[in-house]
Amino acid sequence: MVRRIKQRERILTLLRESATPLDAHGLAETLDLHVTTVRFHLTGLSDEGLVHAQPMPVTGVGRPRTGYVAVREPSYTDLVALFAARIGGDATERELKAFEVGDDWASLLRLQPEPTSDAGSLVIDALARLGFETQTATSAFGAHDITLCTCPLVEIARNYPEVVRGIQRGLIQRVLDDNAVTLGRRYVVDVRPDPDDGNCRVRLVLHPGDPTAPETASARGDGQVAAG
């Protein structure tokens, strides 16, 4: 049973890595498996909805071949990419709209980071729950400078950096505002993207704000954004 599971995983991995459909004979040759074994696994993967069968172009004499492609797993990044592609306005307007989306997204996620009096730790914990990893974190004069890597929106950031920056800023600002009482003051976040545009490294700077400032979405959206 374990051997069959591993064979099926190898077939699925190969299909996911391929840019074109693959047939049973090609998979069998690449993976050094009997074609009957490959067909058995392809039927199982198809029944599970993990692969899709489609006719392949006929290149010579013989019966038409059946190719298989991996079914793409649904991802929230797909929805963000569609949003980014259709949002209108200039870069500043797109970032502001994206900020509002990030703010709303944080409300829907109901993130509950570990209680702490440190704004930096609070943000790091909240973002870790969404797939971010911290590279460095420093604090000085009440401000927190955090560099994050492994951004889950890296593919979208390459084409729509202002949209991703807006989403990140709205999300983080909401987390900070929702925990202002615990933190003892309000913070305003700047999101500074990777200057090398290479690995979606994101630098966050949390500035201590006015403890009496209103907690409205418009007030959160007016925070300064550093240019990337």
Side-chain angles (χ1 to χ4, degrees):
M1 176 62 72
V2 174
R3 182 181 179 185
R4 285 188 175 183
I5 292 175
K6 289 184 177 179
Q7 289 175 343
R8 187 165 297 191
E9 289 176 348
R10 290 172 63 199
I11 292 172
L12 184 58
T13 297
L14 198 59
L15 290 172
R16 284 175 172 166
E17 293 175 349
S18 176
T20 58
L22 301 175
D23 67 358
H25 287 280
L27 287 165
E29 182 177 354
T30 301
L31 298 173
D32 195 22
L33 296 172
H34 194 280
V35 68
T36 302
T37 301
V38 172
R39 287 197 177 109
F40 168 78
H41 288 307
L42 287 172
T43 298
L45 290 169
S46 181
D47 291 342
E48 294 175 20
L50 296 175
V51 303
H52 172 70
Q54 63 182 55
M56 296 181 69
V58 179
T59 56
V61 179
R63 295 186 304 172
R65 297 180 300 155
T66 300
Y68 293 85
V69 295
V71 176
R72 185 172 181 178
E73 297 180 0
S75 168
Y76 73 87
T77 57
D78 294 332
L79 295 177
V80 176
L82 291 173
F83 164 76
R86 291 183 177 275
I87 192 171
D90 59 23
T92 300
E93 293 171 327
R94 287 193 295 272
E95 183 163 345
L96 181 57
K97 292 176 183 177
F99 174 92
E100 295 170 352
V101 170
D103 181 273
D104 291 340
W105 186 31
S107 299
L108 291 175
L109 291 174
R110 299 184 183 276
L111 292 170
Q112 295 181 338
E114 294 295 330
T116 174
S117 58
D118 183 289
S121 298
L122 183 83
V123 169
I124 290 171
D125 183 38
L127 290 179
R129 297 167 189 259
L130 299 177
F132 289 85
E133 294 180 8
T134 303
Q135 189 176 60
T136 60
T138 59
S139 301
F141 305 108
H144 301 271
D145 197 324
I146 306 167
T147 301
L148 299 168
C149 57
T150 318
C151 170
L153 301 177
V154 59
E155 296 299 326
I156 304 166
R158 291 193 178 103
N159 295 319
Y160 305 100
E162 72 282 358
V163 172
V164 173
R165 186 163 59 245
I167 290 175
Q168 292 167 337
R169 193 165 60 90
L171 175 75
I172 297 165
Q173 193 66 61
R174 165 64 78 168
V175 170
L176 290 168
D177 287 346
D178 286 350
N179 291 273
V181 173
T182 301
L183 296 174
R185 68 186 314 160
R186 302 201 185 284
Y187 283 82
V188 177
V189 60
D190 289 347
V191 177
R192 305 181 183 185
D194 179 9
D196 299 325
D197 192 27
N199 60 0
C200 199
R201 190 170 70 249
V202 179
R203 181 184 173 205
L204 312 175
V205 182
L206 314 182
H207 300 285
D210 182 355
T212 63
E215 190 184 349
T216 63
S218 60
R220 288 194 298 271
D222 291 338
Q224 179 185 0
V225 182

